[in-house]
């Protein structure tokens, strides 16, 4: 059932095999055996893609419920999590991976020696289903989606500029002064948006547009552009401790 679900979600035997780390032939055989056992065709196969039949759609929905119940049932009898085993594929932002997660992985693996981790560190928005990820960690406001999300905590944010930038443009003393300054623009897709400064006004997050000299699409380039004097940035305090920054005001951001 797990193999069938992955094939259905990825619409491809090849992609399902890659995401599960299994030979393509075993994926195809497993689905064929399942169809033979049920006495019904679950998938329409073409040279370009795989789509669910009407029976396949019904079986797909029931499979997800059954597997979720099985996982819950098994977890009831696992003592202290030591019996947890298998592979987990995770994606998270580059800076979060470098500064928070990877340094703590040795301790995690010692506690759960049966776990094998596939860790993707990228700042782009991945497709969990199409790319075979079990979960992702993201920072920011939650957008509408059909995915299950859980708040894992809050990060203290800090505003940073390099000494060279402050020497050239001065230290902003208020929100209004920012119109005379430059913000390093961060955008997952280049050309998709303008730079905006965010701050907390009570409980509300407000923003104003700012000019920028450079737009980047990853966190390392974002920090390096700041160090090069190309503009002001807003980053998690924990990550900014790696650099020497001028500090103006901190805020908590979900």
């Amino acid at each position: 059932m797990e193999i069938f679900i992955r094939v259905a979600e990825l619409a491809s035997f090849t992609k399902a095999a890659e995401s599960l780390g299994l030979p393509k032939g075993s994926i195809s055989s497993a689905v064929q055996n399942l169809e033979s056992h049920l006495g019904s065709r679950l998938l329409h196969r073409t040279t370009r893609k795989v789509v669910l039949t009407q029976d396949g759609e019904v079986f797909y929905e029931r499979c997800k419920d059954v597997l979720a119940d099985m996982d819950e049932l098994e977890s009831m009898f696992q003592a202290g999590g030591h019996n947890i085993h298998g592979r987990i594929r995770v994606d998270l932002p580059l800076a979060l991976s470098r500064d928070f997660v990877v340094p703590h992985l040795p301790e995690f693996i010692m506690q759960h020696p049966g776990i094998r981790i596939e860790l993707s560190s990228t700042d782009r928005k991945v497709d969990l289903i199409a790319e075979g990820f079990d979960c992702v960690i993201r920072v920011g406001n939650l957008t509408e989606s059909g995915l299950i999300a859980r708040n894992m905590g809050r990060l203290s944010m800090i505003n940073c500029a390099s000494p060279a930038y402050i020497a050239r443009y001065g230290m902003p003393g208020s929100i209004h002064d920012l119109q005379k300054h430059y913000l390093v623009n961060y955008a997952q897709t280049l050309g998709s948006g303008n730079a905006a400064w965010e701050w907390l006004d009570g409980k509300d997050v407000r923003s104003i547009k700012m000019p920028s000299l450079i737009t980047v699409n990853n966190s390392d380039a974002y920090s390096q552009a700041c160090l090069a004097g190309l503009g002001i940035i807003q980053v998690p305090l924990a990550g900014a401790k790696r650099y020497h920054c001028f500090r103006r005001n901190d805020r908590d951001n979900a």
Side-chain angles (χ1 to χ4, degrees), residues 98-120:
R98 180 193 61 219
D99 299 328
F100 291 93
V101 175
V102 172
H104 295 284
L105 283 182
E107 178 184 355
F108 174 83
I109 292 175
M110 287 183 64
Q111 294 177 356
H112 307 286
I115 295 291
R116 294 295 177 267
I117 301 169
E118 291 187 358
L119 182 63
S120 168

Side-chain angles (χ1 to χ4, degrees), residues 123-246:
D123 292 333
R124 69 181 178 85
K125 185 178 180 180
V126 301
D127 187 325
L128 273 78
I129 302 301
E131 299 182 55
F133 286 105
D134 298 298
C135 64
V136 299
I137 300 176
R138 287 293 179 265
V139 178
N141 296 322
L142 179 66
T143 57
E144 288 292 333
S145 73
L147 303 173
I148 299 173
R150 178 178 299 173
N151 188 349
M152 300 185 68
R154 302 175 71 86
L155 291 174
S156 294
M157 303 295 289
I158 188 172
N159 306 319
C160 299
S162 72
Y165 178 89
I166 297 299
R168 182 174 183 180
Y169 297 100
M171 178 76 76
S174 68
I175 295 296
H176 299 291
D177 291 344
L178 294 176
Q179 295 297 336
K180 303 175 183 178
H181 286 266
Y182 293 98
L183 192 67
V184 177
N185 188 24
Y186 175 89
Q188 291 186 351
T189 303
L190 297 180
S192 63
N194 297 320
W197 176 278
E198 292 185 343
W199 80 97
L200 273 181
D201 184 5
K203 293 184 178 180
D204 298 325
V205 178
R206 299 187 181 278
S207 65
I208 59 170
K209 292 183 178 180
M210 285 181 59
S212 61
L213 299 172
I214 185 173
T215 298
V216 299
N217 64 356
N218 70 74
S219 55
D220 273 353
Y222 187 62
S223 297
Q224 291 302 320
C226 174
L227 291 172
L230 296 174
I232 305 171
I233 62 173
Q234 297 180 295
V235 292
L237 176 59
K241 288 180 179 179
R242 302 171 63 241
Y243 308 105
H244 296 288
C245 300
F246 281 88

